[in-house]
Amino acid sequence: MNSVYGPVPSWRLGRSLGVDPICGKKVCNFDCIYCQLGRTSRKAERRKFVEADKVREDIERIIDKVSADVITLSGTGEPTLAENLNEIIDVIREMTDLPIAILTNSSLLHKNEIVNELKRLDHVIAKLDVPNQNLLEKINRPVEEIEFDLILRGLRKFRNLFDGKFSLQIMFVKENERYAKEIASLARELDPDEVQINTPLRPCPVEPLSENEIKKISKNFEGMNFISVYESERPRVKPMNKIEVLRRRPEE
Ligand code: SF4
């Protein structure tokens, strides 16, 4: 399996070349009801999934042939679970001047080692779908030791220490639609550079909200810099290897 995929047309990042620090079957400490990768079945402890040298070889093979706006750490699960994330960031920095982003579920931001790793990036996109523990268990279904208070503490801590671009990504589905005001209030407190309002438009086990419903939700975020999945444009890009994209984004 190749650890590099894309570029993919991302509504929030432009032409995004993915680097997957998990690079195998899905591994996550969440089991979100809307996950396009299917149910979580693999034990989620921090460990090495793919050698940094393999990432180097995979990037080397294509970096001169692709046109991308950003390298995004993302793929077959939660990228902060890769214990060699620092090494992988080193490899990417050696090989390209492109900015590096990460899509994280925010579950490990309370840990100093993770903060120190992510602080090296240009753009951190952190998930916050819920305003309380009850809804966290209904929507994100984390492993037992991950609690809502811990996630919020991690988000606050990281926000204070990070100098790069900090975005909050919020996936809205039926279950959290009526909590938009509470989530917006938490977002306001965290003061991100950007809020990304999403609903699952790719094939997954739950229905997306309509454009109208997302418009109503967006009103709660007025005054903040927000973008929404229905209103953002996707660039046109051709991936180098369609199969590698399909492994991470099954509908492409
Ligand atoms: S955090 Fe991401 S990879 Fe993990 S279950 Fe949720 S959507 Fe899937």
Side-chain angles (χ1 to χ4, degrees):
M1 191 166 174
N2 202 317
S3 59
V4 179
Y5 63 99
V8 294
S10 164
W11 64 276
R12 41 195 173 178
L13 289 162
R15 296 168 304 167
S16 162
L17 185 66
V19 170
D20 183 356
I22 304 292
C23 198
K25 283 195 178 140
K26 177 187 173 187
V27 182
C28 195
N29 47 7
F30 278 13
D31 185 14
C32 301
I33 56 173
Y34 55 76
C35 186
Q36 58 174 347
L37 299 170
R39 292 299 305 259
T40 302
S41 58
R42 304 192 74 193
K43 205 164 171 245
E45 54 198 23
R46 199 163 200 233
R47 65 177 178 84
K48 192 189 287 181
F49 298 94
V50 56
E51 294 291 339
D53 279 344
K54 158 90 170 117
V55 175
R56 184 194 307 278
E57 280 163 30
D58 291 343
I59 296 180
E60 216 157 35
R61 214 173 304 123
I62 60 149
I63 197 67
D64 292 333
K65 300 180 201 142
V66 292
S67 195
D69 302 311
V70 61
I71 304 274
T72 307
L73 292 158
S74 169
T76 44
E78 171 52 34
T80 61
L81 285 170
E83 72 178 6
N84 60 342
L85 194 60
N86 237 350
E87 252 184 283
I88 292 175
I89 296 168
D90 284 341
V91 162
I92 302 170
R93 287 272 186 238
E94 268 169 43
M95 306 195 71
T96 170
D97 291 332
L98 285 171
I100 311 178
I102 192 168
L103 297 170
T104 175
N105 65 14
S106 314
S107 60
L108 302 178
L109 290 179
H110 60 283
K111 290 185 182 265
N112 288 338
E113 73 211 71
I114 307 282
V115 170
N116 289 334
E117 289 164 10
L118 299 203
K119 263 170 71 184
R120 302 181 57 207
L121 303 177
D122 301 283
H123 189 179
V124 170
I125 303 164
K127 186 186 289 298
L128 178 68
D129 293 341
V130 299
N132 59 48
Q133 177 69 26
N134 190 26
L135 220 49
L136 183 78
E137 285 168 21
K138 271 197 188 129
I139 295 178
N140 302 116
R141 302 185 294 197
V143 294
E144 233 171 62
E145 59 271 23
I146 308 283
E147 294 188 345
F148 179 73
D149 288 347
L150 198 65
I151 294 173
L152 198 55
R153 217 181 319 138
L155 281 164
R156 285 181 179 135
K157 173 175 166 171
F158 188 73
R159 180 57 182 133
N160 285 332
L161 293 169
F162 183 52
D163 293 329
K165 181 172 177 181
F166 178 69
S167 299
L168 277 182
Q169 49 165 333
I170 309 170
M171 186 69 93
F172 280 103
V173 288
K174 278 278 167 242
E175 284 77 358
N176 61 350
E177 185 182 8
R178 65 196 167 91
Y179 295 88
K181 198 172 166 193
E182 287 170 61
I183 298 169
S185 158
L186 285 176
R188 225 171 278 280
E189 185 222 310
L190 288 163
D191 192 25
D193 297 301
E194 175 185 79
V195 177
Q196 301 173 349
I197 300 175
N198 204 355
T199 193
L201 296 182
R202 298 191 203 137
C204 79
V206 300
E207 289 291 313
L209 298 182
S210 68
E211 190 165 355
N212 228 0
E213 287 166 322
I214 288 292
K215 261 196 186 137
K216 274 192 205 149
I217 283 172
S218 300
K219 287 198 189 317
N220 293 283
F221 294 85
E222 272 171 9
M224 304 178 76
N225 179 31
F226 71 84
I227 55 173
S228 109
V229 65
Y230 280 114
E231 282 164 17
S232 299
E233 283 191 17
R234 283 174 179 72
R236 290 172 80 90
V237 287
K238 203 166 171 243
M240 300 285 295
N241 184 336
K242 216 165 174 208
I243 290 172
E244 293 299 337
V245 174
L246 284 168
R247 285 191 168 121
R248 282 95 177 178
R249 297 162 63 114
E251 94 296 5
E252 301 287 347

